[in-house]
Amino acid sequence: MSPAPTGSSAERPSIGRRTVLGAAAAAASAPALLGLSTPASAAPSAAPRALPGGGDLGPNVIVFDPSTPGIQAKLDEVFRQQESAQFGTGRYALLFKPGTYSGLNAQLGFYTSIAGLGLSPDDTTINGDVTVDAGWFNGNATQNFWRSAENLALVPVNGTNRWAVAQAAPFRRMHVRGGLNLSPNGYGWASGGYIADSRIDGQVGPYSQQQWYTRDSSIGSWLNGVWNMVFSGVEGAPAQTFPNPPYTTLNTTPVSREKPFLYLSGSEYRVFLPEKRTDARGVTWGNGTPRGTSLPLSQFYVAKPGVSAATLNQALTQGLHLLLTPGIYHVDQPIQVNRAGTVVLGLGYATLIPDNGVTALKVADVDGVRLAGLLIDAGPVNSATLLEVGPQGANTDHSANPTTVQDVFVRIGGAGAGKATTSMVINSRHTIVDHTWIWRADHGTGVGWDTNRADYGFVVNGNDVLVTGLFVEHFNKYDVQWYGQRGRTIFFQNEKAYDAPNQAAIQNGSVKGYAAYKVGDSVTTHEGWGLGSYCYYNVNPAIVQHHGFSAPNTAGVKFHNLLVVSLGGQGQYERVINETGSPTSGTSTVPSTVVSYP
């Protein structure tokens, strides 16, 4: 999501874009382990290892304790470098040891993660703020991508913390002892976002946020909604009222397993692996020690930028997990995860770039792999795929111990020329994809209808896959294709590609345009809640998109709370799903909705 580009320019977009939606949103939103066990299977082998586990976390992981001098100055230094470095190469993780810190304002720019190092957010308290605002972009927050906050307690200075983010900016395992404002200063345009496993004692105010997903959390109250606000397993969530207000509320999340995280046990770094929950509701850390297991850092190969894919694969073959420290990793062969229970954890938006058209990361059809905290950036030579979970035809039952893909983001173009036919493919059964943004860039460097060609965003072939927080945007053909049985999606945010040159360029046989979300014709069971697709065909506003959603018309394929929006009349939808739903019209930027399908 970003404001629409002006013409074919690849320059930073002007503030004038998407005025209609900004005005509409603003008008609606003005402020009126007591014993942590290590799994036996993860124990180091007796054979000596050619590659050592553990080690230091490198120069771009900055660790503070309450006695560290000059903390604010260091935070400010990183922010100055990263504030507007949207496509830069800097990557940082700011880690705070357990204790209490006072008088801090950690402003977060691009590719910056902040996190506490306790087992609970309340172990690390900042009397101050962790702030995301949009001063760098004249009060427009729609491009505040790629930053995160995790595992901290905040006592905001003025009672409310500002977190004005867009895509790929998770707020996980946080305790805000006050309110949370999701809009920029001045209540400008905003397009986010994602909260999980967090407690906000006061009110969450989205104000101008167009859409948001909150999972397995606890909130004091929720202020408003613009187009699409989705909640699952959230204590204090507003009642189901879509489309007015546009709240989609599920009492629980069917299956969830929180993201792995780094913490300190005494002076030893360990990685905590939260356990799987079914019918989850509320935070995991509310009553004493969180439930799960942990691994010592000695069982991880601590990778530094510049290491080869061959070395990473050697570490995996030896039985080590991977911890990728902040930076950019070029891989000339796939990173191949073959062992059940393997953890691949990135810090500070560690970024994989495939060279020579390879797939960046492949996972075998095994139990319990955890991929988290990575950005995969397509290279200039077309890759058939960028991430594959399970081989084609995978059919093993992983219900007891699924693979999880969390805060793994994909980008094609923007930082430079990039191409990939399909970005992310899920073949393994029961995989949980928990928060992803798969983005064919609409601005930056190397952007154009054929320059950063990417036909398909997210493809699910495996059965029983669950996605919680799916953001997929701007693909040349289908953004999402779902061929597996019994798939479920809770929250979907999409924009069709802005830059289609003409109607013929998106013609799909006899259908005008490729659906944003396509369920395969042979699928008999599927369900989705809170799904939205937007169009902004600014290169050719005469383009018509027949529908946002396409699915078999059968009783077992169910959708709840769908919407399509034409942003300022730049292109139109004829229907919402299949042949159902009213067309968008004029320049009103008012959603067309379908509450239940079929």
Side-chain angles (χ1 to χ4, degrees):
M1 168 74 69
S2 71
T6 50
S8 60
S9 170
E11 297 302 313
R12 194 177 93 178
S14 70
I15 193 66
R17 299 197 287 182
R18 206 182 273 176
T19 326
V20 172
L21 86 88
S29 62
L33 310 48
L34 293 177
L36 299 177
S37 63
T38 299
S41 62
S45 62
R49 291 178 170 140
L51 293 171
D56 73 89
L57 299 177
N60 287 1
V61 176
I62 303 167
V63 181
F64 304 104
D65 67 46
S67 65
T68 302
I71 297 176
Q72 186 65 54
K74 188 63 179 179
L75 296 174
D76 291 346
E77 176 190 341
V78 173
F79 179 64
R80 279 193 301 271
Q81 179 180 321
Q82 299 301 114
E83 179 183 13
S84 59
Q86 181 170 183
F87 298 112
T89 57
R91 303 284 187 275
Y92 290 93
L94 310 172
L95 304 183
F96 286 76
K97 293 182 180 180
T100 301
Y101 302 77
S102 294
L104 298 182
N105 181 16
Q107 299 183 80
L108 299 187
F110 288 97
Y111 315 109
T112 305
S113 297
I114 189 170
L117 287 169
L119 262 182
S120 164
D122 289 326
D123 293 341
T124 311
T125 298
I126 293 178
N127 291 306
D129 296 82
V130 171
T131 301
V132 178
D133 205 346
W136 74 279
F137 200 37
N138 300 316
N140 176 350
T142 60
Q143 292 183 25
N144 282 346
F145 312 138
W146 305 307
R147 63 203 75 196
S148 67
E150 299 184 53
N151 205 29
L152 293 165
L154 304 179
V155 184
V157 169
N158 70 355
T160 301
N161 189 78
R162 185 182 301 280
W163 185 255
V165 297
Q167 286 74 19
F171 195 82
R172 288 185 182 269
R173 203 178 171 77
M174 295 287 286
H175 185 188
V176 181
R177 298 178 195 160
L180 189 63
N181 182 346
L182 304 179
S183 74
N185 185 33
Y187 304 96
W189 309 336
S191 172
Y194 176 92
I195 293 170
D197 200 22
S198 293
R199 175 173 288 138
I200 292 91
D201 293 345
Q203 184 175 72
V204 180
Y207 298 103
S208 54
Q209 284 286 357
Q210 296 148 22
Q211 70 279 316
W212 199 277
Y213 176 51
T214 307
R215 178 182 64 71
D216 299 349
S217 293
S218 176
I219 61 176
S221 62
W222 190 273
L223 179 64
N224 73 299
V226 176
W227 292 337
N228 193 29
M229 303 281 150
V230 180
F231 308 84
S232 68
V234 178
E235 297 167 346
Q240 167 73 42
T241 52
F242 187 92
N244 187 27
Y247 299 147
T248 298
T249 302
L250 288 73
N251 190 51
T252 61
T253 304
V255 189
S256 64
R257 190 174 69 191
E258 298 303 330
K259 179 184 171 187
F261 63 91
L262 190 68
Y263 75 102
L264 277 171
S265 176
S267 60
E268 177 195 28
Y269 283 109
R270 298 181 72 90
V271 173
F272 190 78
L273 307 178
E275 69 174 21
K276 187 188 75 169
R277 298 197 290 168
T278 56
D279 296 321
R281 181 171 172 84
V283 300
T284 62
W285 47 269
N287 296 301
T289 301
R291 301 173 70 145
T293 58
S294 75
L295 297 169
L297 198 62
S298 60
Q299 291 186 22
F300 285 77
Y301 178 70
V302 180
K304 308 289 174 32
V307 71
S308 68
T311 299
L312 297 174
N313 282 327
Q314 180 189 346
L316 291 167
T317 300
Q318 286 179 196
L320 290 168
H321 307 272
L322 295 183
L323 184 74
L324 302 179
T325 64
I328 294 174
Y329 297 77
H330 281 268
V331 294
D332 59 1
Q333 59 181 272
I335 299 170
Q336 184 69 57
V337 179
N338 293 325
R339 190 179 73 256
T342 299
V343 179
V344 180
L345 177 61
L347 301 180
Y349 287 80
T351 301
L352 304 176
I353 302 179
D355 293 333
N356 303 318
V358 303
T359 299
L361 182 59
K362 292 185 177 184
V363 180
D365 192 26
V366 295
D367 272 358
V369 171
R370 304 184 196 225
L371 308 179
L374 302 170
L375 173 61
I376 301 174
D377 207 354
V381 178
N382 186 73
S383 293
T385 59
L386 293 171
L387 170 64
E388 296 179 16
V389 177
Q392 188 171 356
N395 199 35
T396 304
D397 187 321
H398 300 295
S399 56
N401 189 9
T403 285
T404 45
V405 181
Q406 299 177 283
D407 300 345
V408 174
F409 308 118
V410 176
R411 178 173 68 196
I412 301 97
K419 291 186 178 184
T421 303
T422 304
S423 289
M424 187 182 296
V425 181
I426 308 297
N427 293 316
S428 286
R429 289 182 63 190
H430 301 102
T431 299
I432 300 170
V433 179
D434 175 45
H435 191 224
T436 187
W437 184 40
I438 304 171
W439 186 57
R440 176 181 166 264
D442 62 277
H443 62 273
T445 304
V447 170
W449 183 248
D450 291 308
T451 307
N452 61 327
R453 184 81 192 185
D455 282 352
Y456 309 110
F458 182 69
V459 176
V460 179
N461 297 312
N463 295 335
D464 308 292
V465 171
L466 170 66
V467 185
T468 51
L470 178 60
F471 299 74
V472 188
E473 297 190 303
H474 306 311
F475 285 83
N476 294 81
K477 292 185 179 178
Y478 289 117
D479 299 276
V480 172
Q481 296 172 93
W482 205 300
Y483 300 111
Q485 298 287 356
R486 298 177 298 281
R488 292 175 290 185
T489 297
I490 304 173
F491 182 89
F492 172 62
Q493 186 264 322
N494 165 263
E495 284 183 347
K496 295 304 299 173
Y498 293 164
D499 55 345
N502 49 50
Q503 189 75 44
I506 64 162
Q507 192 68 16
N508 180 16
S510 62
V511 179
K512 299 171 186 172
Y514 291 81
Y517 190 108
K518 163 72 172 175
V519 179
D521 294 342
S522 63
V523 173
T524 56
T525 308
H526 186 91
E527 197 158 9
W529 296 262
L531 315 183
S533 177
Y534 319 150
C535 73
Y536 192 90
Y537 288 116
N538 69 308
V539 172
N540 188 336
I543 289 175
V544 174
Q545 175 83 23
H546 181 61
H547 47 215
F549 303 89
S550 175
N553 187 9
T554 182
V557 177
K558 304 174 184 176
F559 289 93
H560 313 274
N561 306 343
L562 301 174
L563 68 104
V564 296
V565 182
S566 167
L567 304 180
Q570 305 290 296
Q572 301 290 347
Y573 293 90
E574 292 179 328
R575 294 286 182 264
V576 179
I577 179 168
N578 294 347
E579 302 305 317
T580 300
S582 300
T584 58
S585 62
T587 59
S588 61
T589 314
V590 172
S592 291
T593 61
V594 169
V595 173
S596 182
Y597 185 89

